[in-house]
Amino acid sequence: MQLVVARIGRAHGIRGEVTVEVRTDEPELRLGPGAVLTTDPPEAGPLTIEAGRVHSGRLLLRFAGVRDRSAAEALRNTLLIAEVDPEETPEDPEEFYDHQLVDLDVVTADGTPVGRVTEISHPPGQDLLVVERADGGEVLIPFVHAIVPEVDVVAGHLVVTPPPGLLDVTGGEPADGGSDDGARGSDL
């Protein structure tokens, strides 16, 4: 199974380093030296990580064969994709891979059906569950513990305790704009 683990940002310096937006909770495992990652778009890769370091709170990577700023800048916005065993699960029981959440039924605490998770969106700030409602509409639910207190992958559902108005919004941004309490996250 393939998981998006990072997105390449801008070039850093003149020796081929790039900033990356990490999209995994296990960067030391997925983005370490020697890791070979496929890419989206495919023609940009595969890329082999030669070195990595943290600079001013941001991860910088250098890839084999990328030696200058121009080559690094050409990789901007490329997604880095790792091959992961589909049976593998994150070490933290409060963390989930996207594929574990997609197709889960969503219900409120009192058992009222909300819909089914169709995808996970990863905008800056927090992850959002994209939920298709029975009526064909869509609602975005912030994937934070205060709103999603229970995830039962084995039973095939998750429980939401939405703030007032969240489920009334369809096809747009969450009503409250959400905030990340750091208690939840998903790993691409």
Side-chain angles (χ1 to χ4, degrees), residues 25-184:
D25 292 323
E26 302 167 315
E28 63 286 340
L29 174 67
R30 309 277 183 226
L31 300 171
V36 179
L37 303 166
T38 57
T39 60
D40 182 8
E43 58 273 7
L47 294 172
T48 301
I49 297 175
E50 200 169 79
R53 66 186 177 101
V54 176
H55 174 71
S56 297
R58 190 163 261 282
L59 181 61
L60 302 177
L61 295 179
R62 188 168 7 108
F63 300 104
V66 178
R67 295 286 175 233
D68 61 34
R69 185 174 186 85
S70 295
E73 193 60 41
L75 295 172
R76 191 174 197 158
N77 292 322
T78 298
L79 297 177
L80 299 175
I81 302 166
E83 190 66 38
V84 177
D85 180 345
E87 300 301 314
E88 183 180 331
T89 58
E91 289 181 19
D92 185 344
E94 289 291 311
E95 300 291 331
F96 303 90
Y97 291 134
D98 287 6
H99 71 274
Q100 293 177 289
L101 301 171
V102 171
D103 288 331
L104 292 183
D105 290 321
V106 180
V107 297
T108 62
D110 66 5
T112 304
V114 174
R116 181 174 289 260
V117 178
T118 58
E119 69 179 283
I120 314 303
S121 177
H122 300 280
Q126 71 188 29
D127 296 333
L128 298 170
L129 302 173
V130 180
V131 178
E132 183 178 329
R133 301 180 70 128
D135 64 7
E138 188 177 84
V139 64
L140 301 177
I141 299 176
F143 191 47
V144 295
H145 195 270
I147 297 173
V148 186
E150 180 183 332
V151 176
D152 191 335
V153 174
V154 175
H157 73 270
L158 56 86
V159 176
V160 296
T161 55
L166 179 67
L167 299 182
D168 298 336
V169 177
T170 58
E173 294 297 315
D176 70 345
S179 66
D180 189 358
D181 67 2
R184 289 283 172 152

